[in-house]
Amino acid sequence: MKTFDEMIDGYGRFRETDWQHQRERWEELREGQSPQVMVISCSDSRVDPAQIFDVAPGELFVVRNVAALVPPFETTPGRHGVSAALEFAVQFLKVKEVVVMGHGMCGGCQAALTQDLHGNDLGAGGFVAHWIDMLDETREPIAEKFGTAGREAERAMELAAVKVSLANLRTFPCVQEKEASGELKLRGAYFAISDGVLHLLDEESGEFRPA
Ligand SMILES: [Zn+2]
């Protein structure tokens, strides 16, 4: 794996090739962005939405965090990073779709399943534990059915987490309004790292199917 200094070489290649090729597009983007799609993805280094969807600069508005989670609409004090990004995308950029993309081998979902970090101090796993405890309720039936270890249990947790985020998205008044009026569509997706296959959630059946 490369160091950041080594990545500067990559930047050099980008300036020579991609940036030159898309110069006009960059000129256009100088005036502003108008992406139609927002993606909420995991911070995991293996699931870069721009790479998976092969999109040009300016096309995707992205939030990445541990386990690709959206917390519910909360008015408690604190810094609500996901809520701020969502509000900006939906109310100001007026994106037409919000996609929650979970993924295989997700460390955050695994921690939600095992609850190994519960009780850790903030800064020593406590921030992660508190973040992923929004999956606690969903975890219970999964842990009962599949246990807390192994791919079957983990995959069930990873897929369920996407549904939790979609449900939490629907607690935001602006999302409720725009979904009801047809201005906004919510989508669930899952990228399986092992075979590189993207799955899309059919919310009617609750099943994820290969795209
Ligand atoms: Zn992850």
Side-chain angles (χ1 to χ4, degrees):
M1 299 300 148
K2 294 189 182 77
T3 63
F4 182 63
D5 276 336
E6 288 164 337
M7 288 180 190
I8 301 295
D9 293 340
Y11 161 71
R13 292 191 296 277
F14 161 74
R15 282 286 296 184
E16 292 295 312
T17 57
D18 271 18
W19 192 81
Q20 295 294 344
H21 296 153
Q22 302 208 48
R23 196 103 186 236
E24 252 175 61
R25 180 156 185 87
W26 286 106
E27 284 288 318
E28 223 177 275
L29 289 171
R30 215 168 55 169
E31 308 299 322
Q33 58 168 338
S34 52
Q36 306 228 23
V37 180
M38 174 183 190
V39 174
I40 295 149
S41 174
C42 186
S43 298
D44 192 295
S45 59
R46 299 164 293 182
V47 286
D48 176 1
Q51 186 174 46
I52 292 168
F53 297 110
D54 189 26
V55 292
E59 288 192 297
L60 265 190
F61 189 81
V62 179
V63 168
R64 297 181 69 174
N65 63 44
V66 171
L69 296 177
V70 179
F73 181 79
E74 289 171 326
T75 54
T76 49
R79 312 287 188 204
H80 300 288
V82 177
S83 306
L86 178 73
E87 180 180 79
F88 185 67
V90 170
Q91 300 286 55
F92 297 90
L93 295 175
K94 302 191 190 309
V95 297
K96 295 188 169 60
E97 291 174 282
V98 177
V99 182
V100 175
M101 183 172 72
H103 72 96
M105 325 298 283
C106 182
C109 286
Q110 188 188 29
L113 194 59
T114 61
Q115 297 191 328
D116 279 350
L117 297 174
H118 271 214
N120 283 29
D121 290 336
L122 292 175
F127 281 120
V128 173
H130 181 47
W131 177 246
I132 58 178
D133 71 12
M134 70 178 102
L135 297 175
D136 277 359
E137 213 175 289
T138 308
R139 167 200 180 271
E140 293 306 319
I142 294 171
E144 245 167 60
K145 189 170 175 193
F146 301 111
T148 58
R151 275 310 293 154
E152 199 176 15
E154 288 162 13
R155 187 179 157 92
M157 189 74 250
E158 289 156 2
L159 297 176
V162 173
K163 295 178 184 175
V164 169
S165 287
L166 288 172
N168 288 345
L169 273 171
R170 294 186 169 111
T171 64
F172 285 78
C174 64
V175 171
Q176 288 168 8
E177 275 166 36
K178 286 176 188 270
E179 198 182 25
S181 68
E183 290 166 90
L184 185 70
K185 208 171 165 186
L186 303 187
R187 310 285 302 265
Y190 176 85
F191 183 73
I193 286 181
S194 52
D195 55 10
V197 175
L198 180 77
H199 295 70
L200 299 178
L201 171 63
D202 171 3
E203 284 201 90
E204 258 175 49
S205 67
E207 299 291 318
F208 284 81
R209 298 199 184 91

